[in-house]
Amino acid sequence: GACGFGEYGRKIYDGKVSGVSRLYRNGTGCGACYQVRCKVPGHCTDEGTKIVVTDHGEGDHTDFILSVRAYSDMATSGMANHLLAYGVVDVEYRRVPCTYYGYNLMIKVHEHSRFCNYLAIVPIYQSGAFDIEAVEVWQADCKEWRGMRKAYGAVWDMPNPPKGSLTFRVQVSLNGEAAKWVQLADVLPDEWKAGIAYDTYLMLD
């Protein structure tokens, strides 16, 4: 999808994922979690479903384009097929913290990266309700932070990244509060590899 999550974006939350339009926010909304419940009398549970944003998409004046699994999860017992037949339903929703039991925030090196000339990364297993607004890499030889470009979705990239193990810092915000920087020390090894996800040993909660 448009967030750049790849296979992770298809499997996360047991496939209960969604594309969004205005909630996409130029990719900042990627990885955000929402509780969504439908409003069809007799068809919908009070709890609804919990989804994670993995894509951008616009439907018929809709806020969410839910996966079949997420859409069905809003239904009361035995009513999933009836609910699916509606196609478009009125919903209520709210943002909720993401929870990934057993996982810290991880930095995945995007498959399009080329060691050591081009680096693209995707933060995954982003717990809590934080937005990542900026990413920088520490350039040890110059002793300064270098900003990464927001390529698209949740993907950040840069040409000619620093040599050696890489330390990042991410600027995060919560519910419109003042943003803060969080440092992720020595996340990528000296010889990082495209397609591999590296543990930050940090949980944003």
Side-chain angles (χ1 to χ4, degrees):
C3 290
F5 287 140
E7 190 64 19
Y8 165 87
R10 287 183 281 275
K11 295 181 176 179
I12 198 63
Y13 265 41
D14 198 27
K16 288 181 281 192
V17 298
S18 181
V20 293
S21 51
R22 62 187 182 86
L23 296 173
Y24 183 72
R25 294 179 291 139
N26 196 34
T28 302
C30 289
C33 293
Y34 292 88
Q35 180 184 5
V36 184
R37 63 183 185 184
C38 55
K39 299 169 64 178
V40 182
H43 290 61
C44 307
T45 65
D46 290 337
E47 298 79 22
T49 187
K50 187 175 176 181
I51 60 94
V52 60
V53 173
T54 60
D55 202 357
H56 177 270
E58 296 189 25
D60 184 17
H61 303 291
T62 57
D63 288 299
F64 297 90
I65 301 177
L66 300 173
S67 65
V68 172
R69 180 162 292 193
Y71 191 99
S72 301
D73 196 47
M74 296 189 297
T76 54
S77 179
M79 298 304 292
N81 287 336
H82 294 277
L83 192 62
L84 285 166
Y86 279 87
V88 178
V89 294
D90 288 334
V91 298
E92 299 174 322
Y93 66 88
R94 61 173 181 163
R95 186 160 182 186
V96 294
C98 298
T99 305
Y100 300 108
Y101 296 107
Y103 288 94
N104 302 311
L105 175 69
M106 301 185 79
I107 300 295
K108 181 183 176 184
V109 179
H110 195 277
E111 288 82 354
H112 291 166
S113 299
R114 297 185 305 277
F115 183 82
C116 54
N117 300 315
Y118 171 73
L119 173 65
I121 63 167
V122 189
I124 59 175
Y125 298 111
Q126 183 180 326
S127 60
F130 291 90
D131 291 329
I132 294 179
E133 299 183 344
V135 180
E136 296 182 344
V137 182
W138 179 247
Q139 179 96 35
D141 55 357
C142 301
K143 295 194 176 347
E144 66 180 15
W145 291 100
R146 286 178 58 191
M148 298 190 77
R149 179 181 72 109
K150 180 75 167 286
Y152 66 94
V155 180
W156 300 82
D157 70 354
M158 70 186 321
N160 304 312
K163 303 290 191 293
S165 62
L166 296 183
T167 290
F168 298 89
R169 68 174 182 176
V170 293
Q171 189 179 54
V172 298
S173 64
L174 175 66
N175 297 329
E177 296 177 2
K180 65 178 181 179
W181 287 98
V182 178
Q183 187 164 316
L184 312 171
D186 297 322
V187 177
L188 267 57
D190 292 3
E191 297 186 6
W192 46 263
K193 292 181 171 56
I196 302 298
Y198 296 93
D199 200 332
T200 68
Y201 301 99
L202 177 77
M203 295 185 71
L204 293 175
D205 53 16

